[in-house]
Amino acid sequence: MEVKLWNDKRERVMYDNLADLFAIIKATEKLEKAYVRDIISASEYEKECQKLIAQFKTLSSTLKDAVPNVERFHDTYKMDCPAALNRLVTSGVPATVEHRAAAAMSTASSAAVVAECVQNFITAMDSLKLNMVAVDQVHPVLSDLSSSLNKLSILPVDFEGKTKMSEWLSRLSKMGAADELTEQQARQLHFDLDSSYNSFMAALPTDGN
């Protein structure tokens, strides 16, 4: 006799998402251990870790009602993934970004601010992927990103990310809260965010510089 875990399509989607969350946490734990043991390169680690963090943030948002506390979810299923919890919940950025920032930041520009910028970039791009395109949804996210970028003294005044976020905030301020970005505008904003993020990562001092 077949036993169903769900009663309808909505419950099935929730269980699928819970399974994905479990898999992401496990995969992150394995990735962290592989990086510590020097099994994969720093560039490979950073690429995969960014992907897992982005997937985790998206799923966490989707499951915020079913899983309000990820640590409790972790403990309930006896996952034993402390490194994954640290990376996904506490840090929110790859270890390589933390190390690069910590080694290069001056007293005026801390690694915490770099981590905040990275998190805000990812949040902004994920929001668009989730079709959160209303002005009252987009404006706060871009405002947080712009604020965090302005905290970093290593970034020039005319840094691409600063100017583009300022332009978008100015454009949004002229729209109503319930107005939504068109598909073309949302696509352009995602392109600008992606481009600015790449420029931001390239602007971070590397070890030895």
Side-chain angles (χ1 to χ4, degrees):
M1 179 180 174
E2 183 181 355
V3 178
K4 287 188 176 182
L5 293 174
W6 54 83
N7 297 314
D8 53 40
K9 184 177 179 180
R10 188 168 62 101
E11 283 192 6
R12 179 173 183 173
V13 170
M14 184 190 72
Y15 279 112
D16 284 344
N17 286 336
L18 289 174
D20 288 341
L21 179 61
F22 187 95
I24 288 171
I25 294 173
K26 282 292 187 180
T28 304
E29 184 72 15
K30 289 182 179 179
L31 182 65
E32 291 292 307
K33 289 180 178 178
Y35 175 62
V36 169
R37 294 169 184 168
D38 208 22
I39 296 174
I40 60 173
S41 68
S43 60
E44 289 175 319
Y45 161 79
E46 185 168 321
K47 179 181 178 181
E48 291 304 314
C49 193
Q50 287 283 25
K51 187 187 301 182
L52 287 167
I53 290 171
Q55 292 171 339
F56 171 77
K57 288 176 71 66
T58 301
L59 259 184
S60 294
S61 176
T62 303
L63 291 169
K64 61 183 179 182
D65 293 327
V67 185
N69 188 301
V70 176
E71 290 95 334
R72 190 173 300 168
F73 174 86
H74 169 275
D75 294 342
T76 298
Y77 292 99
K78 299 179 172 59
M79 298 185 69
D80 191 25
C81 298
L85 278 186
N86 177 65
R87 187 62 48 216
L88 297 171
V89 180
T90 306
S91 173
V93 295
T96 46
V97 174
E98 286 184 334
H99 299 162
R100 200 155 64 231
M105 291 300 99
S106 66
T107 54
S109 305
S110 70
V113 180
V114 172
E116 181 184 323
C117 288
V118 172
Q119 287 179 311
N120 286 334
F121 267 118
I122 293 173
T123 298
M125 288 187 280
D126 280 352
S127 295
L128 292 177
K129 290 177 183 177
L130 291 171
N131 201 36
M132 297 172 64
V133 293
V135 171
D136 60 357
Q137 294 174 316
V138 179
H139 192 283
V141 174
L142 295 189
S143 181
D144 287 345
L145 173 57
S146 180
S147 177
S148 60
L149 289 174
N150 286 325
K151 293 178 186 177
L152 278 180
S153 61
I154 61 169
L155 297 178
V157 177
D158 60 351
F159 172 67
E160 175 186 355
K162 289 183 179 181
T163 56
K164 286 187 175 179
M165 291 312 103
S166 179
E167 289 170 0
W168 274 105
L169 285 170
S170 176
R171 191 177 309 170
L172 293 172
S173 67
K174 298 173 184 176
M175 299 168 65
D179 289 343
E180 294 187 351
L181 298 180
T182 64
E183 183 179 347
Q184 183 178 0
Q185 288 174 322
R187 186 172 180 177
Q188 183 62 50
L189 176 54
H190 190 278
F191 177 84
D192 288 345
L193 285 166
D194 187 58
S195 175
S196 298
Y197 174 73
N198 290 331
S199 297
F200 172 77
M201 297 303 289
L204 292 181
T206 55
D207 294 345
N209 289 340

